Amino acid sequence: MTVKCRMWIGLLMAPLLMAPLLVPLAGAGAQSGAKAMRKAMRKAVPDSAAVATAAADVFLAAETRGAVQRLNTWRREYLARASWADLGDRCNPGALRAFARDTTPELQQSLQSLVERMEQTIVLYGAGRPLAASDSRALLRVIVGWEAGIDRPRWDENGAGVHRAVATGLTGDVPDPTKDGCLPSPIMSDTVTFVVPGFRDMEFPKAPRPRVKAYFGPAAQARVRNEFFTAVGSNTPEAELSYIVVAPMVIWQDYAMVGVNRPRERGGFELASGSNGGAAYLLRRVGSEWRLLSIVRSWGS
């Protein structure tokens, strides 16, 4: 067959090949046919925004897995460097995680850097997440009970976890220097006041002593000052107001960072020392229990 003959046959066949495409577009069915074609094209070519979102999700999942693996690795390294300090048996002093082999400034700095890397990772990935879930309330319950001297968390350790943390802020009993037995903390009071900006409410631990009182929300600190001034400060200007601020609190995966400050004020102003101390804690969730991983830093009055 000659080339010219094949060209003529192609020209004759073209209308027949195009007919199935042209028929749906003719007459009254033109609009519905066009819509069908556009819909088919959309299925064939994925939306660019959807592709970008899917790619971002994949990247975020991989980044999250990597960050969790780093946290777990740092935790294992941290625990491997630690031992337990013997505080004796009197007055239930609790246990203290010690690092007896880290004796040089270089080793101590590397240990502090290790803890701070864990803290920074938790804050980086967890900051801004809501705190209304049950795990955050359980965490707050642990911190409040510990700070008030009602109970103490267990240390995070490999295994069942048998060591209890030491008391915070001089809230624990102290040995009686004159005889056997224990004396209550000299700074304990009948009521321990908490300011919790990140929560609206919660059920606090109940104990015969001390009683726990709390103020919630962003304006909590102003409310506790106003109530104290109305009830006490207006008549006794030299009276001191002491309370415990639980903030910030950040939870990510099975880890948490909690900051605690204990202001001391008189007449609405902080005293020269500014505080009864404070601390930043790292905790880890084991099942439904929050355990103390590290006291990242602490300061006194």
Side-chain angles (χ1 to χ4, degrees):
M1 184 181 295
T2 66
V3 173
K4 184 180 289 187
C5 183
R6 284 197 297 268
M7 290 177 64
W8 276 106
I9 292 174
L11 291 172
L12 291 172
M13 292 294 293
L16 297 176
L17 295 173
M18 292 291 291
L21 296 177
L22 295 175
V23 170
L25 301 180
Q31 278 191 331
S32 61
K35 289 181 179 178
M37 288 184 66
R38 288 196 294 269
K39 185 175 180 181
M41 292 177 66
R42 283 197 297 269
K43 287 183 177 179
V45 181
D47 181 74
S48 58
V51 172
T53 300
D57 290 343
V58 171
F59 174 81
L60 180 60
E63 178 65 19
T64 299
R65 287 194 299 271
V68 172
Q69 289 172 358
R70 290 191 295 272
L71 268 176
N72 291 335
T73 299
W74 293 334
R75 171 187 171 270
R76 287 193 295 269
E77 180 183 344
Y78 181 70
L79 296 185
R81 296 172 67 165
S83 57
W84 298 108
D86 183 9
L87 302 180
D89 298 327
R90 289 188 64 188
C91 308
N92 188 25
L96 189 63
R97 206 192 297 277
F99 298 86
R101 292 171 291 181
D102 295 316
T103 56
T104 67
E106 292 78 14
L107 288 173
Q108 292 168 0
Q109 181 56 47
S110 72
L111 179 66
Q112 185 64 25
S113 297
L114 175 62
V115 174
E116 289 177 355
R117 284 200 300 273
M118 290 192 284
E119 177 189 38
Q120 291 162 5
T121 300
I122 295 166
V123 172
L124 175 65
Y125 287 94
R129 293 175 179 268
L131 292 174
S134 59
D135 56 353
S136 61
R137 289 178 173 269
L139 176 59
L140 181 59
R141 164 65 180 80
V142 168
I143 298 299
V144 167
W146 191 23
E147 288 287 326
I150 296 172
D151 46 31
R152 305 177 192 179
R154 287 194 287 183
W155 283 99
D156 181 28
E157 54 187 304
N158 295 322
V162 297
H163 295 91
R164 292 278 175 185
V166 296
T168 68
L170 301 178
T171 55
D173 291 347
V174 296
D176 188 334
T178 63
K179 57 186 178 182
D180 293 339
C182 304
L183 297 174
S185 167
I187 71 166
M188 284 294 290
S189 60
D190 291 333
T191 302
V192 180
T193 301
F194 286 86
V195 168
V196 191
F199 288 75
R200 295 181 179 178
D201 57 60
M202 76 159 292
E203 182 179 351
F204 282 117
K206 296 178 174 63
R209 182 178 179 273
R211 185 174 72 93
V212 172
K213 185 177 182 181
Y215 296 78
F216 300 96
Q221 200 162 11
R223 288 201 303 274
V224 71
R225 287 169 174 165
N226 291 339
E227 286 190 18
F228 179 80
F229 178 79
T230 300
V232 180
S234 58
N235 298 320
T236 312
E238 68 276 11
E240 291 186 11
L241 168 64
S242 293
Y243 55 98
I244 300 170
V245 181
V246 182
M249 177 183 288
V250 179
I251 296 176
W252 186 67
Q253 300 292 322
D254 287 330
Y255 291 87
M257 191 284 291
V258 182
V260 171
N261 191 29
R262 311 178 190 103
R264 292 174 59 231
E265 300 178 0
R266 184 181 296 155
F269 297 95
E270 288 191 353
L271 300 179
S273 64
S275 169
N276 282 323
Y281 305 126
L282 293 187
L283 297 100
R284 177 174 167 267
R285 181 171 45 203
V286 181
S288 60
E289 177 186 13
W290 284 101
R291 297 183 183 180
L292 178 64
L293 174 58
S294 174
I295 301 174
V296 181
R297 65 188 63 85
S298 62
W299 56 94
S301 59

